[in-house]
Amino acid sequence: MKLPIGPGALVAAAFIGPGTVTTCTLAGANFGFALIWALAFATIATIILQDMSARLGVMGRVGLGEALVSGTGNRFVKWGAAGLVLAALALGNAAYEAGNLSGGALGLEAIFGAGEQSRRIIILVLASIAAAVLLFGRYKLIEHVLVALVIVMSLAFAGSAILVRPDLAAMIGGLVPRVPEAGLLTSVALIGTTIVPYNLFLHAASAREHWPEATPQALEEAKRDTRVSVGLGGLISILILTTAASSLFGSAQQISGAADMAAAIAPTYGEAARFLVGIGLFSAGLTSSITAPLATAYALSEIARKPRTGNLFKGVALTILLTGTVVALMGYRPVSIIFVAQVANGLLLPIVAVFLLLAMNRRSLLGDQVNGPIANALGALVILITFGLGLRIILRAFGVWP
């Protein structure tokens, strides 16, 4: 039986990285179950936007980067859009890549224990694996590798959540939207770590690769794949937060990420819990260390109108990977950087989502498959909510909002 999982798994693999694991761990440890609603909203919003992105790739036969630069004859608007892509992907993903590799290494450390020197060796091994997949793996191979790792993550974090025996009533109560004191930044970070701007580029490109013909059957398969894969990714995030909330909230333990959580829960819940969290964190790091360079390479190749198997594609992917590897080897603690980056993602998201919504209403690209009123309304609602949360952070930073 064929699994209903395809390019959507790349999206899940991309947003369930060390940044998500770290942010969900901190949210659960600091606020208990109070912010589950943010992950539930983010998952639904991600499905709405990624469904548009997949439809653009399957039925429009273009990636989002290509759609952006071909959508206007105005040179300034065209290259302004291209500059936004460069800022959002090339610079952002180079920074994320360090956290991806460091996070994967921390996962293995949580299982086996290791020192600073061993961590550097693990980072180099992870970078080598990612480089081999990006250089020599055809699309189908990359997709299969990431589907397998997403399944491993799902089982690992589901197992850890079961072992800590969460309070189901408290979990359900967390679905009621409210922002606890000092919880605004974390709320936006949870949304920013799930609805990732670069995934909109990755999904359109990978959907076009997976389904070579624009047929009604391909469109239905793409929709099903998006809902299953992104829904599974959202569930993984909730399970991570649940594990942290059940085991760490109110404990007064100093937690800076999932590796600390793995060590903290072992005395109470056993070595199996530590092992499962470590495996999940390692898988998250490895998947994201592949997808971040992949998304950047797709987008920039589309903008430059170069083949996705050419030297530009490989050069961009390796540059992102190399930059992240160098930063990770320098030993910077990734937790604070990852958290700030997730907040920045939440602020950038509305801008990229507006470009996507505009592309989805171009009949020259999609014909009868343009957005209908409901899709446009849902997309606009997601944009307004994320814009409002981001604006509130900016206003608070300037002392305008209490």
Side-chain angles (χ1 to χ4, degrees):
M1 178 179 166
K2 184 179 177 181
L3 288 173
I5 298 178
L10 275 67
V11 175
F15 76 73
I16 305 295
T20 294
V21 178
T22 296
T23 304
C24 292
T25 298
L26 295 176
N30 295 330
F31 303 105
F33 297 103
L35 294 177
I36 284 183
W37 67 267
L39 286 174
F41 162 75
T43 301
I44 295 170
T46 300
I47 290 173
I48 292 170
L49 294 179
Q50 296 296 158
D51 180 75
M52 294 183 196
S53 183
R55 184 153 38 98
L56 181 66
V58 173
M59 304 306 290
R61 312 309 302 162
V62 295
L64 181 54
E66 188 178 346
L68 291 183
V69 297
S70 65
T72 176
N74 187 305
R75 180 179 300 179
F76 295 104
V77 174
K78 173 180 177 178
W79 292 113
L84 175 65
V85 173
L86 287 171
L89 299 181
L91 299 178
N93 284 345
Y96 278 132
E97 192 70 355
N100 294 335
L101 294 167
S102 297
L106 288 174
L108 289 185
E109 285 183 30
I111 300 171
F112 302 110
E116 194 68 31
Q117 190 61 35
S118 299
R119 182 182 303 174
R120 290 192 176 94
I121 294 173
I122 295 171
I123 287 171
L124 286 173
V125 171
L126 288 174
S128 298
I129 294 172
V133 172
L134 290 167
L135 279 177
F136 306 114
R138 295 184 179 274
Y139 172 77
K140 284 294 184 182
L141 173 62
I142 295 174
E143 183 182 293
H144 291 159
V145 168
L146 294 175
V147 167
L149 288 171
V150 167
I151 292 173
V152 169
M153 276 194 288
S154 303
L155 295 175
F157 286 121
S160 66
I162 291 170
L163 287 175
V164 299
R165 298 183 293 276
D167 183 336
L168 296 180
M171 287 180 65
I172 294 172
L175 292 171
V176 178
R178 63 186 180 91
V179 179
E181 185 177 354
L184 179 60
L185 277 177
T186 303
S187 302
V188 175
L190 288 171
I191 294 170
T193 195
T194 306
I195 320 173
V196 184
Y198 81 70
N199 272 347
L200 299 174
F201 297 90
L202 177 63
H203 203 174
S206 59
R208 180 171 59 174
E209 294 267 7
H210 186 90
W211 289 282
E213 295 183 6
T215 64
Q217 181 182 352
L219 181 60
E220 287 305 311
E221 289 179 1
K223 289 180 178 179
R224 184 167 59 249
D225 167 52
T226 300
R227 292 162 189 165
V228 171
S229 299
V230 175
L232 180 61
L235 178 61
I236 294 172
S237 298
I238 291 173
L239 291 173
I240 298 167
L241 186 151
T242 296
T243 301
S246 301
S247 58
L248 301 173
F249 181 58
S251 67
Q253 296 187 61
Q254 293 296 316
I255 300 296
S256 62
D260 291 341
M261 177 172 70
I265 66 178
T268 304
Y269 300 101
E271 290 299 306
R274 178 176 63 85
F275 178 81
L276 289 171
V277 172
I279 285 291
L281 180 56
F282 166 74
S283 300
L286 182 56
T287 57
S288 292
S289 68
I290 295 170
T291 54
L294 188 66
T296 311
Y298 269 134
L300 296 190
S301 296
E302 289 167 2
I303 290 171
R305 301 187 185 279
K306 297 293 184 181
R308 295 185 298 279
T309 55
N311 291 332
L312 177 65
F313 183 93
K314 293 177 180 178
V316 169
L318 289 182
T319 299
I320 297 296
L321 179 59
L322 180 61
T323 303
T325 302
V326 171
V327 174
L329 290 174
M330 293 173 69
Y332 292 120
R333 285 180 60 81
V335 173
S336 297
I337 297 173
I338 287 172
F339 186 83
V340 171
Q342 299 299 352
V343 174
N345 240 3
L347 297 175
L348 179 66
L349 171 67
I351 301 172
V352 179
V354 165
F355 279 115
L356 174 63
L357 204 59
L358 291 174
M360 295 307 298
N361 282 277
R362 286 172 53 195
R363 289 194 176 274
S364 60
L365 275 179
L366 293 164
D368 292 339
Q369 294 299 325
V370 293
N371 274 1
I374 295 177
N376 279 330
L378 291 174
L381 180 62
V382 171
I383 292 170
L384 284 174
I385 293 174
T386 54
F387 176 78
L389 288 171
L391 180 62
R392 186 178 176 188
I393 284 181
I394 294 172
L395 293 177
R396 287 190 67 176
F398 286 97
V400 178
W401 195 296

